[in-house]
Amino acid sequence: MNKISKKLIACLLCLVSVSVLAQGVKVAQPAPKIVNIVNFIRLLEPRDEKITEDVLYQTVVKQVEIMKKYHLGGTFLLQYDALMDKRYQTLLASLPKGSFEIGAWWEIPQPLVENAGMTWRGRYPWDWRANIGFSTGYTLPEREKLIDTYFTDFKKIFGYYPKTVASWFIDAYSLNYMYQKYHIVASGNCKDQYGTDGYTLWGGYWNQAYYPSKINSYMPAQHAEAQIPVPIFRLLGSDPVRQYDTGISSTRQGVITLEPVYHFGGGDSTWVNWFFKALVDDKSVNFNYTQAGQENSFTWDAMKKGFEIQMPLIAKLRDEHKLRVETMEQSGNWFKAKYKVTPPTSFSVGKDIEGSDLKTSWYNSRFYRINLLWEHNNLRIRDIHLFDEAFPSVYETQPVTSNECTFFTLPIVDGYIWSKRNNLSGLRFKVKTDAGEVLLAGGDPKFSKTAAGGLHISWPLTTVKGSLEIDLTEGQIKVNLSSKTTCDWYLELNTPPTDKLPFEKIDTKELDCKFEDTDYKLKAIKGIFSKPGNSSIFRLSPETNSIVLNTADIK
């Protein structure tokens, strides 16, 4: 193409753009895909004598080197003992401030406790138990002392207060104190997990970020006045297909995440390429997000392969304008400027790793989360949890005394806790035929976002002629069977025998539930709940071929 032709095309494109703007036509903007590269730093590792302080320091040096090599910025979060070490101070202070951020990793080591005027209770200078190494193990006045000590010393070293503070979990009292006194703008907590390392976070806003309740940092708030205005980003980059089910019938889950130390996960090129393709290519509502990076405790030898797979790929996708690489502070400021309350988001996977036909979609809003999983041409609603800003966490008023912590939301469907290895719980789509009750079957689902922050899913059926149309919106779940022929279809919850179910009463238009002394309801705007005579927990039948559930009004 000659220069004149190129100029002519450019002029025509400009004229089209001007015409569109003049007519007031809104051009749909793609949902941004955001990556935070976050590496958090501990001074020492008492669990393995081979992992010396120098090994941990050199790990951070290598992380810096590879990020600089690909011109990737990121966030380094310092545990207090590492904050007070001159080597880390010098290394991190030398990083360009426009693309790198220094913040706080909120685990509590011995020097922080003693410099705050308290007595250390741990087995080692850093003790990872929930009642020792996390703020949940301390009284409210003690939490304030720990925060004041950290933030004061951080400012003495770097000249400003940290804007990002993250940890596996931070109690709401501490988070709100950091916000009100020191004006932090972003936080992060662990991915959903059950029993891993003794910590359970289950049923929350599955990915991306949310504004937490003032009385429960794990629970998304529904109203601005009840929230801490600091977005909490979900860390570690969970496998949206497999992480949820791994470890069913065990006391703890395994880990399938973007963390570069895992052989199946962030250290495997096939998995990494699949994960980022799903992140950037599949339709998402509002924005999609993941956190890359690794804690230095794993050492460079263990994470080197994964870093060398991920960093050039992230840089390539950034250069192709398929994702944004930001510090957590930058992402927090963007989130706060754009969203006054927690927005709806989604993470969908239309094509799994080669050899698997699984497909999934996660949808979150400030009212609920839902997960749909397509398995061998059938569809199972694997998870529904409701959110209630008035649901308190016991850790906001008293310190934990055990070495474990648990955080939950309000279950309607729990395909992990209620399942056995060969008997998976879930809401399944069924239809009555001449041959009896069978599962609805179909082809590949199609995902599309709607203007009002919703996700539309169209699933072509093969059992009957037509399609299942699903609309997930901020406060409702809508299901409609679109077909020219009539059929008797419904949803049915099946679980193996368990005493963990929350259902107190099944009425025709609502489920009355109770979990940890909290009463809540799931109401059907369209649809009828019933208790069939078989082994299912309940059945949900459509009205005029539609089911509409209200997830915003649960009282």
Side-chain angles (χ1 to χ4, degrees):
M1 185 183 291
N2 60 40
K3 292 182 179 180
I4 294 175
S5 299
K6 288 182 180 179
K7 287 182 179 179
L8 180 60
I9 290 172
C11 289
L12 288 171
L13 288 173
C14 288
L15 287 171
V16 170
S17 300
V18 170
S19 175
V20 167
L21 292 172
Q23 295 175 49
V25 177
K26 291 184 178 180
V27 179
Q29 296 297 316
K33 322 293 182 175
I34 299 171
V35 173
N36 293 158
I37 302 173
V38 181
N39 302 299
F40 59 90
I41 303 170
R42 300 187 180 108
L43 178 69
L44 47 84
E45 176 49 81
R47 294 170 291 189
D48 188 342
E49 62 182 14
K50 296 177 183 177
I51 303 177
T52 64
E53 291 184 19
D54 188 60
V55 168
L56 295 176
Y57 173 74
Q58 291 301 327
T59 296
V60 181
V61 170
K62 293 295 186 181
Q63 290 173 333
V64 169
E65 285 179 0
I66 195 167
M67 291 170 71
K68 283 185 171 181
K69 177 181 178 180
Y70 293 102
H71 307 289
L72 292 167
T75 296
F76 285 90
L77 302 177
L78 288 159
Q79 193 167 284
Y80 183 82
D81 50 7
L83 169 70
M84 304 305 288
D85 186 276
K86 291 288 186 182
R87 293 181 301 173
Y88 289 113
Q89 294 172 14
T90 302
L91 174 66
L92 298 182
S94 69
L95 298 177
K97 290 184 173 57
S99 54
F100 285 93
E101 173 195 10
I102 309 169
W105 182 253
W106 201 244
E107 291 179 351
I108 314 299
Q110 184 174 354
L112 177 56
V113 170
E114 293 179 344
N115 287 353
M118 296 181 284
T119 301
W120 178 244
R121 297 178 278 115
R123 301 165 296 173
Y124 316 102
W126 167 61
D127 191 330
W128 51 91
R129 293 181 298 181
N131 60 325
I132 305 292
F134 294 89
S135 54
T136 47
Y138 299 84
T139 66
L140 304 188
E142 288 174 337
R143 295 176 200 182
E144 292 185 10
K145 289 180 183 178
L146 292 168
I147 293 166
D148 290 339
T149 300
Y150 186 103
F151 276 70
T152 298
D153 287 341
F154 188 100
K155 187 174 183 181
K156 286 178 182 176
I157 294 164
F158 294 111
Y160 55 89
Y161 294 126
K163 295 299 183 184
T164 295
V165 184
S167 181
W168 296 141
F169 50 89
I170 304 175
D171 64 280
Y173 185 88
S174 295
L175 200 65
N176 201 37
Y177 185 80
M178 293 175 189
Y179 165 71
Q180 291 184 335
K181 187 168 183 177
Y182 297 105
H183 312 298
I184 66 170
V185 300
S187 186
N189 65 10
C190 187
K191 66 173 175 60
D192 260 33
Q193 62 180 33
Y194 192 87
T196 309
D197 297 328
Y199 311 127
T200 293
L201 298 91
W202 196 253
Y205 197 100
W206 183 79
N207 193 52
Q208 291 96 348
Y210 66 97
Y211 288 120
S213 162
K214 289 179 179 178
I215 61 171
N216 188 337
S217 59
Y218 184 63
M219 180 71 73
Q222 286 73 62
H223 305 92
E225 59 270 19
Q227 72 190 17
I228 302 171
V230 175
I232 296 180
F233 291 85
R234 302 307 304 272
L235 304 178
L236 304 183
S238 282
D239 183 320
V241 176
R242 279 160 287 274
Q243 173 62 48
Y244 185 90
D245 283 340
T246 183
I248 283 177
S249 298
S250 302
T251 56
R252 63 186 62 191
Q253 281 191 307
V255 180
I256 308 175
T257 69
L258 190 59
E259 293 169 89
V261 295
Y262 291 112
H263 297 300
F264 183 71
D268 177 77
S269 61
T270 299
W271 187 95
V272 169
N273 280 280
W274 162 80
F275 179 85
F276 275 102
K277 182 173 176 56
L279 178 81
V280 303
D281 287 350
D282 280 305
K283 291 289 188 286
S284 55
V285 173
N286 279 314
F287 75 100
N288 210 346
Y289 171 85
T290 197
Q291 176 251 318
Q294 187 78 68
E295 61 202 275
N296 65 337
S297 296
F298 279 103
T299 76
W300 181 246
D301 285 346
M303 69 182 74
K304 177 177 183 289
K305 177 185 175 184
F307 257 86
E308 291 176 345
I309 292 168
Q310 292 183 30
M311 294 302 112
L313 176 59
I314 292 171
K316 176 177 179 289
L317 293 171
R318 174 206 58 198
D319 294 343
E320 294 172 349
H321 306 291
K322 292 183 177 180
L323 56 76
R324 299 181 347 207
V325 180
E326 299 177 343
T327 65
M328 287 194 77
E329 178 187 359
Q330 290 167 343
S331 295
N333 280 325
W334 169 81
F335 189 97
K336 284 166 66 71
K338 189 169 181 64
Y339 304 113
K340 301 309 177 188
V341 293
T342 299
T345 60
S346 66
F347 193 147
S348 299
V349 177
K351 182 173 175 54
D352 198 11
I353 291 175
E354 195 66 33
S356 167
D357 70 348
L358 298 178
K359 303 165 186 67
T360 195
S361 186
W362 287 91
Y363 183 86
N364 311 274
S365 81
R366 58 195 164 117
F367 298 109
Y368 73 106
R369 81 174 193 185
I370 183 171
N371 176 241
L372 300 95
L373 183 72
W374 284 263
E375 314 163 276
H376 316 307
N377 302 318
N378 302 131
L379 171 58
R380 173 168 61 109
I381 296 180
R382 188 165 54 168
D383 186 280
I384 300 175
H385 279 76
L386 304 179
F387 302 149
D388 181 3
E389 64 196 14
F391 181 69
S393 167
V394 296
Y395 310 128
E396 305 313 317
T397 55
Q398 58 191 18
V400 63
T401 56
S402 73
N403 64 350
E404 297 186 357
C405 267
T406 58
F407 295 85
F408 292 102
T409 60
L410 305 176
I412 295 294
V413 179
D414 195 319
Y416 180 82
I417 294 177
W418 301 349
S419 289
K420 300 297 182 185
R421 279 197 183 94
N422 298 315
N423 190 351
L424 300 179
S425 296
L427 265 175
R428 290 177 170 85
F429 291 80
K430 297 183 178 181
V431 62
K432 290 182 180 178
T433 68
D434 293 340
E437 297 179 349
V438 298
L439 294 173
L440 276 178
D444 292 338
K446 303 296 181 185
F447 308 103
S448 59
K449 57 183 180 178
T450 64
L455 179 68
H456 179 76
I457 303 168
S458 183
W459 183 37
L461 300 175
T462 55
T463 312
V464 297
K465 292 183 178 180
S467 63
L468 203 66
E469 305 295 327
I470 302 171
D471 281 287
L472 306 174
T473 59
E474 189 174 44
Q476 291 186 349
I477 299 169
K478 302 177 182 179
V479 184
N480 181 69
L481 195 148
S482 177
S483 176
K484 293 181 179 180
T485 59
T486 59
C487 62
D488 189 358
W489 66 278
Y490 48 88
L491 279 163
E492 201 163 78
L493 177 63
N494 301 100
T495 73
T498 176
D499 59 359
K500 295 180 170 60
L501 301 181
F503 309 112
E504 300 270 288
K505 186 179 180 182
I506 299 172
D507 281 334
T508 56
K509 298 300 289 183
E510 68 181 33
L511 301 175
D512 293 351
C513 308
K514 191 180 190 70
F515 180 78
E516 292 192 355
D517 298 323
T518 294
D519 296 315
Y520 58 102
K521 301 177 186 292
L522 179 64
K523 302 174 184 179
I525 299 171
K526 291 185 72 173
I528 301 294
F529 290 107
S530 64
K531 182 70 176 75
N534 58 22
S535 60
S536 68
I537 306 303
F538 66 78
R539 179 175 292 177
L540 178 54
S541 302
E543 292 180 292
T544 61
N545 244 13
S546 294
I547 291 171
V548 181
L549 300 176
N550 184 346
T551 56
D553 178 15
I554 64 173
K555 296 300 185 181

